[in-house]
């Protein structure tokens, strides 16, 4: 079952002689329409197969969430609500590596012209047969992951399986998230870094 991200950018400001409050500024869907589990795990701890220390996991929906955001979340069927401020995003070390190697083995094809990345997977029969030889009960079952030492690899036919540790930059590509970060930065220029946040939740 696919897990999708939803959310809003919010800013905190005073309006109409009232005290500061949070207001919805932009639906996340207008800025990001991807479905990257690496990004979800790195940022928010959801589907964290790459084993990052999440930046903002399990915070819940803010108690002072904007009316528009709260109304949307109230439609129900969502989980793992959390949030992160622009001040926090600005401090991220995008070169930081995950705490452990990716639970999914990275697969590469070895064509004559050189190595080419083809995807990630927690299990492949060919790999299990070649690497996990022995009694059936100690082999991988479909859907099960087994972490292996960083850099370990095995060539099976023309497919190379390799254990890789990702960086935050790998998981949250700047090209995909630039519109989100740019919108937050623009709001922060007016309202302050700590007064702009991304509130998200997931459905699956």
């Amino acid at each position: 079952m696919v897990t999708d991200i939803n959310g809003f950018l919010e800013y905190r400001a005073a309006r109409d002689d009232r005290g500061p409050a949070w207001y919805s500024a932009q639906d996340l869907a207008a800025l990001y329409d991807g479905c990257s589990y690496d990004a979800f795990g790195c940022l928010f701890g959801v589907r964290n197969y790459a084993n990052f220390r999440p930046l903002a996991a399990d915070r819940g929906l803010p108690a002072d969430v904007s009316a528009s955001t709260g109304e949307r979340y109230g439609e129900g069927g969502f989980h793992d609500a959390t949030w992160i401020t622009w001040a926090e995003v600005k401090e991220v070390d995008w070169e930081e590596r995950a705490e452990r190697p990716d639970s999914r083995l990275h697969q590469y094809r070895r064509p004559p012209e050189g190595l080419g990345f083809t995807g990630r997977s927690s299990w492949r029969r060919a790999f299990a047969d070649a690497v996990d030889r022995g009694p059936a009960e100690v082999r991988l079952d479909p859907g099960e992951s087994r972490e292996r030492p960083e850099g370990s690899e095995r060539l099976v036919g023309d497919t190379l399986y390799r254990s890789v540790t990702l960086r935050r930059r790998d998981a949250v590509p700047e090209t995909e998230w630039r519109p989100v970060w740019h919108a937050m930065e623009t709001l922060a220029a007016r309202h302050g870094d700590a007064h702009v946040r991304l509130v998200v939740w997931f459905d699956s």
Side-chain angles (χ1 to χ4, degrees):
M1 182 177 294
V2 175
T3 296
D4 291 313
I5 191 171
N6 309 267
F8 281 88
L9 271 62
E10 296 186 335
Y11 65 93
R12 187 171 184 264
R15 284 186 180 178
D16 302 326
D17 298 324
R18 293 180 295 178
W22 286 93
Y23 297 92
S24 174
Q26 180 71 64
D27 190 325
L28 177 62
L31 303 168
Y32 176 80
D33 62 357
C35 184
S36 169
Y37 292 167
D38 290 338
F40 299 169
C42 174
L43 296 172
F44 308 115
V46 174
R47 299 276 189 170
N48 192 13
Y49 301 126
N51 297 311
F52 283 100
R53 175 185 59 82
L55 297 175
D58 302 319
R59 293 180 171 180
L61 199 69
D64 54 0
V65 69
S66 69
S68 297
T69 304
E71 182 179 351
R72 176 68 179 277
Y73 183 77
E75 295 175 3
F78 302 119
H79 58 86
D80 290 296
T82 192
W83 52 272
I84 188 170
T85 66
W86 177 242
E88 292 174 300
V89 174
K90 283 180 64 176
E91 296 301 316
V92 175
D93 176 6
W94 295 107
E95 298 302 321
E96 182 182 357
R97 287 158 54 90
E99 296 181 309
R100 302 188 308 280
D102 196 330
S103 298
R104 304 152 301 177
L105 292 167
H106 291 217
Q107 299 170 212
Y108 303 84
R109 300 290 274 183
R110 300 203 68 151
E113 60 272 16
L115 203 63
F117 179 73
T118 60
R120 305 183 186 103
S121 180
S122 59
W123 185 86
R124 278 290 183 271
R125 173 66 65 186
F127 182 83
D129 289 344
V131 178
D132 297 300
R133 296 188 183 280
E137 61 270 17
V138 302
R139 295 187 182 183
L140 291 175
D141 293 322
E144 182 184 356
S145 66
R146 179 180 295 174
E147 292 174 22
R148 299 180 179 279
E150 163 73 12
S152 61
E153 58 184 36
R154 180 67 62 92
L155 183 64
V156 181
D158 61 354
T159 300
L160 180 72
Y161 296 87
R162 177 183 292 163
S163 178
V164 175
T165 301
L166 296 179
R167 301 172 304 165
R168 292 197 187 277
R169 189 177 304 283
D170 302 322
V172 189
E174 201 273 338
T175 53
E176 293 182 10
W177 285 81
R178 182 187 298 124
V180 180
W181 304 148
H182 179 69
M184 294 182 75
E185 184 178 34
T186 300
L187 288 168
R190 179 173 181 182
H191 302 288
D193 295 347
H195 300 296
V196 175
R197 68 189 178 192
L198 172 61
V199 181
V200 301
W201 54 87
F202 299 82
D203 65 83
S204 53

